[in-house]
Amino acid sequence: MISAVFLMNQKGEVLISRIYRDDISRGVANAFRLEVIGSKDVRTPLKSIGSTSFMWIKHSGIYLVGVSRANADCALVFEVLYRIVDIFKSYFDNLDEDAIRNNFVLVYELLDEIMDFGYPQNCSSDILKMYITQGKDKFKEKSTVAKSKQATIHVTGATPWRNPDIRHRKNEIFIDIVESVNLLMSSEGNVLRADVSGQVQMKCFLSGMPECKFGMNDKILMDKENRVGTGRSSHGIEIDDCTFHQCVKLGKFDTDRTISFVPPDGEFELMRYRTTENINLPFKILPTIAEIGRSRIECSVTVKSVFSNKMFGSNVVISIPCPKNTAVAHIVVAAGRAKYIPEQDAILWKVRRFPGDTEYTLRAEVELMATMSLEKKAWSRPPITMEFQVPMFTASGFHVRFLKVVEKSNYNTIKWVRYLTKAGQYQIRI
């Protein structure tokens, strides 16, 4: 597996080296410094030098390098490196060179607990904080024995992410479906690329060891139910790929598409998904740009919300590009505020609240300065970009069908569901 982990700065100096196996020496860091840090041609986060493989990520000017001479699983190595970053950030707020130099002992202690002989052992910051109580968390002598017993149960138990002795006065579970819409549309209005990246985020305050079953409108499951004849005919969404939190029982999902899990206490991300089919675009933009000679541009941009009039978009920002030699822009808008920003070479149109099934238009007359250097070069016409948030709307059509909570004490659970769609890379060519 992982033979060694190096933490290096941008100069190639080794700040921390933790060698887990005897097949690697600290001298391989010099090869990484010369072949990767000192080279301008390296574009991938993986480099094989001789029989040694280097896999690295970069965070705040720090290289976290995993080294192996075996046929290691690269995805697992990168996952461990990102987990190390999260663990370090939970102990000291900013992960930079100064933080590492000021916490040498803590960093070495964490690396010893995270991996054993190069195999990931414990990558949960909550469990590590039970018995490594330096950094921001102060040591409490009274609970040393109790915490050590809990830590042993966590590490060796079937559910290391949850303590069975958790008790809450009110049992609640919050579900947030957050989707980012990515769009690239041609100037003629044709969709060139569109996809949705979604997250199912949860916040659980449940007592005991509850088992939850989460149901969504997955197309495969919905088609199966329609064939069986449940009496309900509804359309599901086609999920191209998805990833789950470690608490999800993957065996059940593979057999019957059921998401069963024992949730951690507090906030966590249950799953991520991506879909490219049947996407409901929340906004449509119809731009009309006319170049009148070399001294003037007239533009008209119409934005239409295509969701229900019972909903609304918030914090809508449309960036309309202008040539670099723009002198002044005369703008008229039907709603919101618009202003030419010279630093961005664009007109920023901001609408705080955009009702559903509504159409607003911006008209602008842009006057250009005569410059010798730009007359020979045509305006490249960058795309219009858009930012927005639409609560209680999902572009993919994703919705929560049910959430069942089963616990031996049979307590009542209060469940909350919230949807939010926001812009990813939302671009319209002009």
Side-chain angles (χ1 to χ4, degrees), residues 408-422:
K408 59 183 180 181
S409 59
N410 292 324
Y411 53 69
N412 293 324
T413 305
I414 303 173
K415 306 162 190 174
W416 306 86
V417 182
R418 183 171 58 180
Y419 300 92
L420 177 67
T421 294
K422 59 183 181 180

Side-chain angles (χ1 to χ4, degrees), residues 11-34:
K11 297 178 182 178
E13 299 172 347
V14 178
L15 304 176
I16 296 288
S17 65
R18 180 63 179 92
I19 298 174
Y20 296 100
R21 297 189 174 214
D22 297 334
D23 58 348
I24 290 291
S25 66
R26 181 171 168 144
V28 299
N30 293 327
F32 180 82
R33 175 174 56 84
L34 295 173

Side-chain angles (χ1 to χ4, degrees), residues 222-259:
M222 303 293 283
D223 291 345
K224 183 179 178 181
E225 291 183 355
N226 291 336
R227 284 196 301 269
V228 173
T230 56
R232 293 178 295 178
S233 60
S234 55
H235 300 286
I237 65 168
E238 295 185 20
I239 296 178
D240 293 338
D241 55 72
C242 55
T243 57
F244 295 101
H245 188 272
Q246 62 174 337
C247 67
V248 176
K249 300 176 181 177
L250 298 179
K252 289 189 176 182
F253 181 78
D254 291 336
T255 54
D256 56 8
R257 308 291 286 188
T258 301
I259 302 176

Side-chain angles (χ1 to χ4, degrees), residues 179 181 196 277-283 306 393-398 421 426:
E179 291 191 343
V181 188
V196 172
E277 299 292 333
N278 301 321
I279 295 174
N280 303 314
L281 298 175
F283 291 96
V306 290
F393 173 82
T394 55
S396 66
F398 186 105
T421 294
Y426 211 85

